[in-house]
Amino acid sequence: MFIKLFLLILFFAIFIFVGIKCRSVSKNVNGYVLGGRTVGPWLTAFAYGTSYFSAVIFVGYAGQFGWKFGVASTWIGLGNAFIGSLLPWAILGRRTRIMTQHLNSKTMPDFFGQRFESKGLKVAASAITFLFLIPYTASLFNGLSRLFKMAFNVDYSVCVIAMAVLTAIYVIVGGYMATAVNDFIQGIIMLIGIVAVIGAVLAKNGGFMQSLSLMSEIESPVMKGAFTSFFGPEPFFLLIVVLLTSLGTWGLPQMVGKFYAIKNEESIKIGTVISTFFAVIIAGGCYFLGGFGRLFIKNPPAGFNDFDSIVPTMLSGLGDVLIAVVLILVLSASMSTLSSLVLTSSSTLTLDFINSFKKKEKTDKQNLFVLRIFVAIFIIISAVIAIIQAKSKVTFIAQLMGISWGALSGSFLAPFLYGLYWKKVTKPAVAVSFCFGSVMMIIQLFVSMKIIPVSGIFSAIFKTSLHSGVYTMLASLVIVPLVSILTRKGIPSKIDDMFACYDTTVMVPVKQVLTDTEEK
């Protein structure tokens, strides 16, 4: 207990210290929200990775999909690394940084408002962001409950309140730079922790090869050795999960926002490599570990679905030091994601939603004050929702958490991607994408709660929030260009000026660019 408490106190003290040290960078809105757009590759890459992977993945998804797919669940982690980390950095990174600085946009809703010359789209995007990020944030708290009960036997509410207070302190004081520095520290902890935990857990069953052999003996109604097969017992569902958890990052405001703040071209190149490596270790490791969950749940009842208990059960027999490492690992994963979500939501609500209805523009100092107020409010709301959901098992909240990711990515992915590359994207096309993404996932909410019955092809689309989320994202990639072609008059009037930022001439060393002319 002493070891656990000591590491927790040290953990909290470091993050508060970082928040205080980063005050000097957060004296204006640009510094508070984007770190002055001077954040280097290591901090940005770790901020991206730690915002991506939270306790939801380590405790919830790793247990759930490891149980369903066995060792093949590792493909989800690899998909997260290459589709969810490598490709966004390569395809979105540079253009996002260049155009958002050119348009002077600090958030994703602000980008939509500036890029498509529409205050309505800006307000709509900020409303969607705030509405669906709250339950997503609340879900982070839920991932911690079982682990803290196992380690400290403390009430879940106490854990939620402590985590909320700590996050509020360093985000309110230090802003984006504090979260980026702390994300780097948390990322190092996560890398060390996941490697140590995998080794210790597999050692319980005689190591990797022996664990694999035991997994191959577990019966499956699909085929013999299904849980050690290349694509597992349900390959199509595995693909659905890979796409949602990987492609979905392309449209999440808290993820794309990392590209707004990165320092320069070199930082993007280095950050791409670091971010991909981080995702391979963390995501690949989490799902790989979860793939052996069936070895630790002895004689499960028919229809077993208590997936959140699997990973804590796997860890319960570890020594005190490793349990402490796991707690810090999960705390790191959760708090880094939480701080990113909080900063994204509060900045969106302040700069994009509330300010859009003000006749007189607020000063930078006033905006900064309101931003900090909403950071506190957002954390309080999320913590209260998490406690209510855990204590009362409110179905509505649990289902809303499940559709958050699909609603955000289904609404924003296609307009943002096309908006960076294609001049002919129109305002109506973006509006249709917002409506389509939100409505599809709201329908999914009603279907999940058994309020709306579905049959035929609709039962396949709305089978789970994972299915509908993927279909919504893929459909929006077709809907946006199609509607843009049909509504050509909706192209912004200053579109050529917006895209001129990509053609600006800059001086670079010859070692980076070959020329066809000789130097005289």
Side-chain angles (χ1 to χ4, degrees):
M1 185 62 70
F2 173 77
I3 294 172
K4 298 169 190 172
L5 287 173
F6 173 76
L7 287 177
L8 278 177
I9 292 170
L10 180 64
F11 178 85
F12 294 157
I14 289 173
F15 293 150
I16 292 175
F17 174 76
V18 169
I20 294 171
K21 289 292 288 182
C22 291
R23 282 183 304 172
S24 59
V25 187
S26 306
K27 292 181 177 179
N28 55 52
V29 171
N30 188 56
Y32 189 79
V33 176
L34 298 175
R37 295 187 193 264
T38 58
V39 185
W42 284 88
L43 292 185
T44 303
F46 271 72
Y48 185 93
T50 54
S51 297
Y52 194 168
F53 309 116
S54 66
V56 174
I57 287 179
F58 186 76
V59 178
Y61 280 11
Q64 177 181 351
F65 298 125
W67 185 267
K68 288 183 179 296
F69 307 125
V71 181
S73 62
T74 309
W75 283 111
I76 305 172
L78 295 178
N80 292 172
F82 296 105
I83 302 174
S85 295
L86 175 64
L87 290 182
W89 275 81
I91 296 173
L92 301 179
R94 288 187 72 259
R95 285 189 169 245
T96 299
R97 174 65 172 80
I98 294 168
M99 184 171 278
T100 55
Q101 184 174 23
H102 180 69
L103 298 176
N104 193 30
S105 60
K106 299 177 178 66
T107 64
M108 183 179 273
D110 191 25
F111 169 81
F112 287 126
Q114 299 280 356
R115 167 66 178 81
F116 298 102
E117 299 176 344
S118 171
K119 180 179 176 181
L121 288 180
K122 177 179 177 179
V123 172
S126 62
I128 293 170
T129 300
F130 189 75
L131 175 63
F132 289 104
L133 277 187
I134 284 183
Y136 183 32
T137 306
S139 68
L140 297 178
F141 292 112
N142 289 332
L144 292 167
S145 58
R146 292 182 184 272
L147 284 175
F148 267 80
K149 188 172 183 62
M150 174 189 71
F152 295 104
N153 197 28
V154 295
D155 186 72
Y156 174 55
S157 302
V158 175
C159 167
V160 169
I161 293 170
M163 185 175 165
V165 170
L166 178 63
T167 306
I169 291 173
Y170 81 76
V171 175
I172 289 172
V173 174
Y176 182 82
M177 187 58 78
T179 66
V181 174
N182 278 333
D183 285 349
F184 179 76
I185 298 170
Q186 291 160 343
I188 296 296
I189 294 171
M190 290 167 67
L191 285 172
I192 297 171
I194 193 65
V195 173
V197 168
I198 289 173
V201 169
L202 292 183
K204 287 184 177 183
N205 289 291
F208 171 62
M209 293 307 297
Q210 181 62 24
S211 297
L212 203 62
S213 176
L214 293 172
M215 284 291 295
S216 67
E217 296 172 5
I218 297 175
E219 294 184 4
S220 166
V222 179
M223 62 181 179
K224 186 177 180 180
F227 297 111
T228 55
S229 63
F230 200 65
F231 291 121
E234 299 179 70
F236 180 71
F237 187 38
L238 177 62
L239 176 63
I240 291 289
V241 177
V242 169
L243 288 176
L244 181 70
T245 59
S246 303
L247 191 61
T249 61
W250 295 44
L252 295 179
Q254 74 274 16
M255 301 298 295
V256 175
K258 301 296 183 288
F259 300 135
Y260 287 43
I262 199 164
K263 189 175 183 179
N264 52 32
E265 177 79 22
E266 191 66 22
S267 295
I268 293 175
K269 293 177 182 177
I270 297 172
T272 302
V273 177
I274 298 169
S275 180
T276 305
F277 171 79
F278 183 87
V280 168
I281 301 299
I282 299 300
C286 284
Y287 287 109
F288 174 77
L289 177 67
F292 292 92
R294 287 179 179 266
L295 297 180
F296 296 83
I297 306 295
K298 305 299 182 183
N299 303 315
F304 173 79
N305 63 0
D306 189 13
F307 302 121
D308 288 348
S309 69
I310 295 174
V311 171
T313 301
M314 297 172 74
L315 304 175
S316 59
L318 301 179
D320 287 339
V321 174
L322 269 176
I323 290 293
V325 169
V326 170
L327 286 172
I328 300 300
L329 187 160
V330 177
L331 257 180
S332 298
S334 298
M335 288 186 62
S336 54
T337 306
L338 177 62
S339 60
S340 177
L341 293 173
V342 166
L343 198 56
T344 299
S345 299
S346 58
S347 58
T348 291
L349 190 66
T350 304
L351 302 176
D352 304 325
F353 191 82
I354 295 176
N355 282 0
S356 296
F357 297 99
K358 296 286 185 181
K359 292 183 179 179
K360 185 179 179 181
E361 189 172 340
K362 290 183 179 179
T363 64
D364 198 71
K365 191 173 182 180
Q366 289 174 324
N367 279 328
L368 191 57
F369 176 76
V370 175
L371 262 171
R372 288 184 160 125
I373 293 295
F374 275 111
V375 165
I377 292 174
F378 187 84
I379 289 177
I380 291 170
I381 292 173
S382 300
V384 169
I385 289 175
I387 292 171
I388 291 173
Q389 199 276 324
K391 299 290 185 182
S392 62
K393 303 295 182 186
V394 179
T395 307
F396 174 78
I397 296 176
Q399 296 295 350
L400 193 56
M401 289 175 182
I403 69 168
S404 296
W405 189 299
L408 290 165
S409 296
S411 299
F412 297 150
L413 188 156
F416 189 80
L417 174 62
Y418 287 123
L420 292 175
Y421 279 89
W422 193 34
K423 291 183 179 181
K424 296 182 180 180
V425 182
T426 63
K427 175 182 171 181
V430 179
V432 169
S433 181
F434 286 1
C435 293
F436 178 74
S438 301
V439 170
M440 281 287 287
M441 298 314 293
I442 290 172
I443 292 173
Q444 175 65 63
L445 174 65
F446 291 139
V447 171
S448 299
M449 296 176 67
K450 296 182 169 39
I451 295 175
I452 298 179
V454 290
S455 59
I457 189 173
F458 294 106
S459 61
I461 294 174
F462 295 105
K463 185 177 181 179
T464 67
S465 59
L466 293 170
H467 289 78
S468 56
V470 169
Y471 294 138
T472 300
M473 285 189 292
L474 295 178
S476 68
L477 291 171
V478 177
I479 289 171
V480 169
L482 184 62
V483 176
S484 294
I485 292 171
L486 298 175
T487 57
R488 295 174 185 174
K489 292 183 179 180
I491 298 174
S493 58
K494 298 179 182 178
I495 189 64
D496 289 330
D497 178 63
M498 294 177 195
F499 273 74
C501 63
Y502 296 138
D503 300 320
T504 304
T505 301
V506 295
M507 303 297 291
V508 296
V510 175
K511 64 182 179 181
Q512 293 184 17
V513 178
L514 294 174
T515 64
D516 57 0
T517 58
E518 293 184 6
E519 295 291 337
K520 301 295 184 183

